C-alpha cells in the first residue's frame, strides 16, 4: 500500500475527471476508469469538504493524485523554507547578474562556474550579489555542474535555477511547501518565455519547448506530463543523492533522465504551474531551431537508458485503421474501422458495468487525435517523404498529405490564438518539428538505435482500476 498523502493536504480534481456514478470515475493519465469501494466513496465525501485528516482519506488522496484524477494542494508552511539556490553558469555574466538580482537574497545562493572563459567576470558578478562561488576548471555540462553543487549544499532542499532565468519573488518557498509530502523528490514551476517582440519571439512565447502549460500534473513517463525541465526546479537533496544525481554523460536530456530515475525509485515529481519563472529564449530562428535539434539528439540515449519510456506515437488499432482509410479515400473501410472502434469500446465498458453514454463522440475524438498525432509524427520523422507525396498529380493524395502537414499546427493555432498570424505560425511549427526530428535521427545514427522513431501499438482500449478494499 502506498504512503498516504499527509494530513493537511487538500486535493483539486483535474478538469478531465468525470464522475460517471457515485462509485465510478473516469480520468487520469493515462486515461482509465476507477471503481471506488464504499470506504473509498466515504473518504471522497470527506475530501470534497476539506483536507486529509485520516489514513483513509490520505490513501485515497494519494491514489487520485498518483493517477492524475486530482492534484495535491499543500498546507501553508509554518515557516520559510530552508533551501539553497544553485545557479550553474557558463560565461554570460550579464544574464547571471539579472538572475541573481531577481533572486533578491531570499535564500543562500551558490553559483557554480562550469569552466567559463572569463572566470573573473563570473566571480565579480557573484560577489556583487552576495552569492557563494564554486569554480569548475573544466566544463562538464549542466549535469556535472549541478552535481558539484550538491557536494556544497547543506540544506535538504535545493532550488536549481539556470543563469538565463528570472525567478523573482517567493517562487521557491511556494514550491517548497509541496515537500510536506515525504514521497516528493522534486517540483517544477511553469517556465514562461522571455522573448523579444519579433516573429521568432512571438512563436517561442506561444509554443516554447520549456513552457508545459497551465495544468498541474504528476510527472512520470508515459503520461500527459512525462518530464519537466530543470531550468527551474526545487528538489530534495537526499532524493537526488539516492539516485546518483544527474547523469554527467548527458549534455542534453539530463532533466528527463533524472525525472525517470526518480520515478523508478518510487519518488514523486510534480509540475506546479501556479508558480512562474521567466526564461530568456533564443532571439533568432537559427538559434531557436538549433536548440530544438539539440533537444532531439537526447531521444536516443534516453531510449537506451530507459527502454519503454519513450514512444513518439502510440496508435490504437481501430482509430488508426479509420484514419488510414480516410487518408486513402476508402470511406467503406473507414466506416468499418470506426464501427470496430465503437464496438470494441462498448464491449469493454459493458464487461466492466460501465455506462456507455458518449462512446461515439469519444471514438470520434480518438480518431481526431490519431490524425493529429500521425501528422506530427510524419512531419518530425518523414517530412521529405510527405513533401515528395505532394508532387505527383492527384488532388486527393495532395489533400490527404497536406492535412497531415498542416492539420496539427493549424489546430494548435485555432486553440491558442497566439500573437502570430496562422501562416507564419504554421511555417514556424513545421520548421520546429522538422528540426527536432532531424536531431532525433542524428541521435539514432550516433547511438545506433531506431527506438526513438518506432511507433507503438496499444491493444487495450481502456484501463479499468479497482480500489483496494480496506
Amino acid at each position: 500500500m502506498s504512503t498516504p498523502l499527509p494530513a493537511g493536504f487538500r486535493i483539486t480534481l483535474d478538469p478531465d475527471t468525470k464522475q460517471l456514478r457515485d462509485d465510478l470515475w473516469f480520468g487520469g493519465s493515462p486515461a482509465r476508469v476507477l471503481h471506488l469501494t464504499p470506504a473509498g466513496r466515504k473518504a471522497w465525501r470527506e475530501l470534497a469538504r476539506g483536507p486529509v485528516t485520516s489514513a483513509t482519506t490520505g490513501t485515497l488522496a494519494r491514489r487520485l493524485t498518483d493517477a492524475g484524477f486530482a492534484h495535491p494542494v499543500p498546507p501553508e508552511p509554518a515557516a520559510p523554507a530552508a533551501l539553497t539556490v544553485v545557479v550553474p553558469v557558463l560565461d554570460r555574466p550579464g544574464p547571471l547578474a539579472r538572475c541573481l538580482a531577481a533572486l533578491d537574497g531570499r535564500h543562500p545562493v551558490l553559483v557554480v562556474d562550469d569552466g567559463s572563459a572569463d572566470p573573473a567576470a563570473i566571480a565579480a558578478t557573484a560577489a556583487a550579489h552576495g552569492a557563494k562561488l564554486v569554480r569548475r576548471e573544466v566544463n562538464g555540462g549542466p549535469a556535472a555542474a549541478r552535481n558539484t553543487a550538491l557536494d556544497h549544499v547543506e540544506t535538504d532542499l535545493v532550488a536549481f535555477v539556470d543563469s538565463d532565468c528570472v525567478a523573482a519573488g517567493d517562487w521557491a518557498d511556494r514550491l517548497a511547501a509541496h515537500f510536506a509530502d515525504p514521497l516528493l523528490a522534486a517540483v517544477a514551476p511553469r517556465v514562461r518565455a522571455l522573448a523579444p517582440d519579433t516573429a521568432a519571439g512571438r512563436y517561442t512565447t506561444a509554443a516554447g519547448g520549456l513552457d508545459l502549460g497551465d495544468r498541474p500534473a504528476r510527472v512520470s513517463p508515459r503520461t500527459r506530463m512525462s518530464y519537466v525541465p530543470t531550468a527551474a526546479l526545487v528538489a530534495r537533496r537526499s532524493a537526488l543523492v539516492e539516485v546518483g544525481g544527474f547523469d554527467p554523460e548527458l549534455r542534453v536530456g539530463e532533466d528527463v533522465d533524472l525525472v525517470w530515475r526518480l520515478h523508478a525509485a518510487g519518488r514523486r515529481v510534480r509540475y506546479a504551474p501556479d508558480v512562474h519563472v521567466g526564461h530568456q529564449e533564443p532571439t533568432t530562428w537559427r538559434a531557436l531551431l538549433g536548440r530544438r535539434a539539440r533537444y532531439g539528439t537526447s531521444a536516443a540515449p534516453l531510449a537506451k537508458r530507459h527502454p519503454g519510456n519513450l514512444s513518439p506515437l502510440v496508435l490504437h488499432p481501430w482509430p488508426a485503421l479509420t484514419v488510414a482509410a480516410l487518408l486513402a479515400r476508402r470511406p467503406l473501410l473507414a466506416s468499418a474501422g470506426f464501427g470496430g472502434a465503437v464496438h470494441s469500446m462498448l464491449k469493454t465498458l459493458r464487461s466492466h458495468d460501465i455506462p456507455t453514454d458518449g462512446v461515439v463522440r469519444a471514438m470520434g475524438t480518438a480518431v481526431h487525435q490519431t490524425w493529429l498525432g500521425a501528422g506530427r509524427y510524419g512531419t518530425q520523422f518523414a517530412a521529405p517523404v510527405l513533401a515528395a507525396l505532394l508532387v505527383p498529380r492527384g488532388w486527393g493524395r495532395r489533400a490527404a498529405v497536406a492535412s497531415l502537414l498542416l492539420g496539427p499546427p493549424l489546430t494548435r493555432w485555432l486553440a491558442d490564438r497566439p500573437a502570430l498570424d496562422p501562416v507564419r505560425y504554421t511555417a514556424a511549427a513545421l520548421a520546429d518539428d522538422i528540426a527536432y526530428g532531424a536531431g532525433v535521427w542524428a541521435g539514432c545514427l550516433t547511438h545506433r538505435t531506431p527506438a526513438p522513431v518506432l511507433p507503438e501499438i496499444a491493444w487495450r482500449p481502456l484501463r479499468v482500476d479497482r480500489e483496494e478494499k480496506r
Side-chain angles (χ1 to χ4, degrees), residues 80 211 255 463:
D211 188 346
D255 40 14
R463 176 173 171 175

Side-chain angles (χ1 to χ4, degrees), residues 193-468:
L194 301 174
D197 187 21
T198 62
R202 289 193 293 274
Y203 174 75
T204 306
T205 300
L210 299 182
D211 188 346
L212 302 181
D214 60 0
R215 293 178 57 182
R218 179 185 177 185
V219 185
S220 61
R222 304 184 68 83
T223 67
R224 177 174 60 84
M225 189 72 64
S226 62
Y227 77 98
V228 284
T230 47
L233 183 82
V234 179
R236 201 184 299 271
R237 181 185 178 278
S238 57
L240 301 189
V241 172
E242 178 185 318
V243 299
F246 293 85
D247 187 343
E249 293 185 7
L250 292 173
R251 292 279 184 146
V252 185
E254 79 287 348
D255 40 14
V256 183
D257 171 72
L258 177 70
V259 167
W260 290 354
R261 284 188 288 115
L262 289 170
H263 171 76
R267 294 287 192 161
R268 304 296 187 269
V269 179
R270 297 212 61 87
Y271 174 62
D274 57 319
V275 179
H276 294 182
V277 168
H279 181 268
Q280 184 63 53
E281 295 292 324
T283 59
T284 66
W285 289 113
R286 180 176 180 177
L288 174 63
L289 297 178
R291 186 180 71 173
R292 283 293 286 162
R294 287 194 301 276
Y295 286 171
T297 62
S298 69
L302 287 171
K304 295 187 76 170
R305 283 169 169 78
H306 305 276
N309 281 2
L310 190 150
S311 180
L313 179 65
V314 178
L315 295 171
H316 291 269
W318 289 114
L321 173 61
T322 305
V323 170
L326 288 172
L327 293 172
R329 291 170 295 148
R330 299 290 187 268
L332 292 179
L333 183 57
S335 298
F338 189 74
V342 172
H343 174 74
S344 176
M345 184 58 69
L346 286 173
K347 182 179 178 181
T348 299
L349 296 178
R350 287 168 178 162
S351 69
H352 292 281
D353 190 28
I354 299 171
T356 58
D357 298 342
V359 167
V360 173
R361 176 180 294 182
M363 291 301 97
T365 299
V367 169
H368 178 71
Q369 293 299 323
T370 300
W371 166 63
L372 293 177
R376 194 165 188 194
Y377 174 86
T379 302
Q380 288 180 332
F381 303 119
V385 176
L386 293 181
L389 291 175
L390 288 172
V391 176
R393 295 181 180 180
W395 287 106
R397 174 183 289 182
R398 290 177 179 175
V401 174
S403 78
L404 290 174
L405 285 168
L406 305 180
L410 287 175
T411 299
R412 295 199 302 272
W413 186 89
L414 288 169
D416 299 337
R417 298 292 176 142
L420 193 66
D421 63 84
V423 174
R424 283 188 293 179
Y425 179 88
T426 298
L430 292 175
D432 191 335
D433 280 344
I434 291 170
Y436 177 79
V440 174
W441 278 115
C444 289
L445 292 173
T446 299
H447 295 273
R448 299 181 181 180
T449 175
V453 299
L454 295 178
E456 178 183 336
I457 302 296
W459 297 102
R460 186 167 63 170
L462 182 67
R463 176 173 171 175
V464 179
D465 291 348
R466 293 187 180 274
E467 186 194 17
E468 295 178 4

Side-chain angles (χ1 to χ4, degrees), residues 89 96 109-113 119-120 122-124 126-127 131-135 152:
V89 64
L96 175 63
V109 178
L110 173 64
V111 174
V112 180
D113 181 357
I122 299 299
K132 181 181 176 181
L133 177 68
V134 173
R135 162 79 176 171
H152 293 81

Side-chain angles (χ1 to χ4, degrees), residues 19-34:
Q19 195 167 1
L20 306 178
R21 286 196 316 248
D22 188 42
D23 66 332
L24 202 62
W25 291 32
F26 172 80
S29 178
R32 69 193 74 188
V33 172
L34 175 64

Side-chain angles (χ1 to χ4, degrees), residues 2-19:
S2 181
T3 303
L5 204 62
F9 271 86
R10 295 176 180 268
I11 64 171
T12 58
L13 292 182
D14 187 83
D16 289 342
T17 298
K18 296 178 176 59
Q19 195 167 1

